[in-house]
Amino acid sequence: MFHDADALLLARIQFGFTVSFHFIFPAFSIGLASFLAVLEALWLKTGKTIYLDLFKYWLKIFAVVFAMGVVSGIVMAYQFGSNWAVFSDKAGPIIGPLMAYEVLTAFFLEAGFLGVMLFGMQKVGRRLHFFATLMVAVGTAISAFWILSVNSWMQTPSGYAINPEGQFVPADGWLPIIFNPSFPYRLVHTVIAAYLTTALMVGAVGAWHLLRDSTHQHARKMFSMAMWMAALVAPVQIFVGDQHGLNTLEHQPAKIMAMEGHYQSHPDGAPLLLFGIPNDAEQRMEHAIEIPKLGSLILKHDPDAPLAGLDSIAPENRPPVKVVFWTFRIMVGLGLLMFALGAWSLLARARHKLYEWRGLQRFAVWMGPSGFIAVIAGWMTTEIGRQPFTVYGLLRTADSASPLAAPAVGASLVAFVVVYFAVFGMGSWYLLKLMSRPPHPHESDPPNAPAHAAGITPGPALAAGGPSSTKERPHD
């Protein structure tokens, strides 16, 4: 088995498979951490226990999502050392410190306050607990900052030199490396995507329970908050995505050509290809449905502006079009549906029908997973569109892989597939089980709070009812 397979292709499939699994959990936890901070802030400000109930309900879900994100992320480091050792050696002096900054700042911040956030509601004061929740939310954002800085540098490398050993090393300090040309656009686009992903999931859960009981106050509050988020943020995301595309056209034009499906150059203005079947072998688009001049109008704000195609790039440097063309359309299509959901909710709200229009609620339920699909489609567009390079224009993917035989890579790929579907399949089933139950008044704390940690036993708290106590404080 795998004796005749391509080791490089298997290594790429393995990395893509594990990253796709991993990516959905941080995307959810980044948005969920901020949502929890907002809920706790509203509870502290208004004193309304409905916000505390929702906080405790989503806190249990956050704990599972965060844990699966950490576990699935550890595998990335393993693969850098096993399948991509050449890349790790050459780019390590740049990538290594940035990843270390992520651990030193974000992960330590998250880990330091996560225990207080999960189990400290009955052990510390309200303000200190809110501070812990806020720090976890800030930590997830800082983590996104460093990870996206790394990825952006691989897309648009800057501030580097190459030493005699062929390694990328800092040339003019770290700022040009961290704040490379595509970093601001990629960071904003990804973080907003995480917020939208969370809003759609919260909205779907709220809508699901509203369809069963339209008077359920907690479901109403969840649904209303999520629809506000979709209505306000989806248009912003479309604008940010457009700016990100213009930046990509400037720094990675081949990726834009693949996304748009332009095999040939258009000296008198490029059309916008709505549909087509890419034919990489013959370098042409079959059954194309296009709008004349609109491609140049969107990308260069001039319908007659010339737009180069893949025929202007050496064949060995062209990215594959098929996957990039379709994943880009999946992402954009879902983004337009998110915009439609937000606009529909505004109309329903204006007519005081937000909790009565069953069609809107069913649409929100169907849109629940759309954020996850969109972020994976967007990630595939970005990463496959960068091919055939790991460090754009400088280090080829074929020159980045470890000299491993196909059976070795294939065996670890099979092991990952089996373990991931077993472990994360059960985790996802448990998440759905948690979300299938509606939040209740006096929602309980997360279960299984530690009775003994770091040599300290929280005796007084346990004596007063334990960490799982559901007793409300008098002023709640």
Side-chain angles (χ1 to χ4, degrees):
M1 191 176 182
F2 298 117
H3 285 286
D4 298 326
D6 182 347
L8 176 61
L9 179 61
L10 291 174
R12 290 179 60 191
I13 292 173
Q14 184 179 127
F15 195 78
F17 173 78
T18 52
V19 170
S20 296
F21 257 90
H22 171 64
F23 194 21
I24 60 176
F25 298 119
F28 197 12
S29 60
I30 290 171
L32 207 48
S34 295
F35 181 54
L36 289 170
V38 170
L39 288 172
E40 190 166 9
L42 288 171
W43 170 55
L44 293 174
K45 180 177 176 58
T46 66
K48 296 180 178 178
T49 54
I50 190 171
Y51 295 115
L52 179 61
D53 293 333
L54 290 177
F55 174 84
K56 292 182 177 179
Y57 177 81
W58 285 102
L59 184 61
K60 302 181 187 77
I61 295 167
F62 175 81
V64 179
V65 172
F66 186 86
M68 289 200 290
V70 171
V71 172
S72 59
I74 293 173
V75 178
M76 300 297 104
Y78 161 78
Q79 290 192 58
F80 283 135
S82 58
N83 294 348
W84 304 101
V86 179
F87 166 80
S88 299
D89 175 56
K90 292 185 178 298
I94 297 286
I95 303 296
L98 295 181
M99 298 294 286
Y101 296 153
E102 192 261 340
V103 173
L104 291 172
T105 56
F107 190 71
F108 281 0
L109 192 64
E110 293 167 322
F113 287 99
L114 184 64
V116 179
M117 178 185 176
L118 291 176
F119 308 116
M121 183 68 80
Q122 309 297 330
K123 300 180 178 68
V124 300
R126 290 182 173 190
R127 294 184 183 278
L128 180 56
H129 188 273
F130 174 62
F131 181 74
T133 304
L134 204 58
M135 288 302 99
V136 172
V138 170
T140 61
I142 294 176
S143 180
F145 176 94
W146 289 115
I147 297 298
L148 288 166
S149 178
V150 171
N151 182 267
S152 297
W153 183 85
M154 293 167 64
Q155 304 277 347
T156 53
S158 63
Y160 68 91
I162 298 178
N163 68 14
E165 288 74 33
Q167 296 173 308
F168 297 95
V169 295
D172 303 312
W174 284 96
L175 290 181
I177 295 172
I178 297 169
F179 298 98
N180 56 78
S182 67
F183 171 65
Y185 301 91
R186 203 178 308 280
L187 175 66
V188 175
H189 192 49
T190 306
V191 171
I192 290 178
Y195 288 148
L196 262 177
T197 297
T198 301
L200 291 164
M201 206 64 220
V202 172
V205 174
W208 175 264
H209 295 301
L210 277 178
L211 287 168
R212 281 148 181 77
D213 179 6
S214 62
T215 65
H216 197 292
Q217 294 303 310
H218 292 71
R220 284 188 169 204
K221 182 63 71 177
M222 279 194 295
F223 186 63
S224 177
M225 293 178 73
M227 291 303 101
W228 273 124
M229 192 70 179
L232 297 176
V233 176
V236 175
Q237 180 70 320
I238 292 174
F239 172 75
V240 171
D242 176 67
Q243 297 300 303
H244 187 21
L246 297 178
N247 178 267
T248 305
L249 176 64
E250 180 180 355
H251 297 283
Q252 295 177 295
K255 183 188 292 185
I256 288 291
M257 296 171 196
M259 291 161 58
E260 299 292 341
H262 292 309
Y263 286 104
Q264 285 78 40
S265 298
H266 301 278
D268 301 319
L272 177 67
L273 285 163
L274 299 176
F275 176 81
I277 301 176
N279 186 332
D280 281 341
E282 299 181 11
Q283 292 287 292
R284 66 185 180 87
M285 189 65 66
E286 298 176 348
H287 310 294
I289 299 176
E290 58 188 38
I291 301 176
K293 307 285 189 181
L294 189 55
S296 287
L297 182 62
I298 293 174
L299 291 171
K300 295 196 171 182
H301 301 164
D302 179 357
D304 298 319
L307 193 69
L310 290 168
D311 56 359
S312 64
I313 297 175
E316 65 271 18
N317 293 335
R318 297 174 188 172
V321 176
K322 289 181 180 176
V323 178
V324 177
F325 181 81
W326 284 112
T327 53
F328 176 65
R329 273 149 187 77
I330 290 171
M331 179 185 66
V332 172
L334 289 175
L336 294 175
L337 288 176
M338 295 171 195
F339 177 81
L341 176 63
W344 193 356
S345 72
L346 286 179
L347 178 63
R349 200 184 297 272
R351 297 189 178 182
H352 305 288
K353 301 289 185 182
L354 186 64
Y355 309 118
E356 298 175 16
W357 282 2
R358 313 288 275 181
L360 171 65
Q361 293 162 14
R362 292 191 186 95
F363 185 37
V365 171
W366 280 105
M367 287 295 289
S370 65
F372 299 115
I373 299 171
V375 296
I376 291 175
W379 175 82
M380 292 178 71
T381 303
T382 294
E383 302 307 313
I384 297 175
R386 181 185 55 188
Q387 298 303 317
F389 300 100
T390 48
V391 180
Y392 193 71
L394 299 169
L395 180 62
R396 289 182 175 276
T397 305
D399 298 329
S400 303
S402 303
L404 295 174
V409 183
S412 58
L413 171 60
V414 171
F416 276 124
V417 170
V418 172
V419 172
Y420 268 54
F421 274 109
V423 175
F424 296 112
M426 287 190 290
S428 300
W429 173 83
Y430 184 62
L431 284 174
L432 291 174
K433 182 181 178 183
L434 288 175
M435 290 187 283
S436 67
R437 181 188 64 81
H440 298 296
H442 309 298
E443 188 73 28
S444 63
D445 290 324
N448 301 323
H452 187 278
I456 301 172
T457 302
L462 291 171
S468 60
S469 172
T470 58
K471 291 187 292 185
E472 289 281 356
R473 282 170 284 191
H475 45 280
D476 289 340

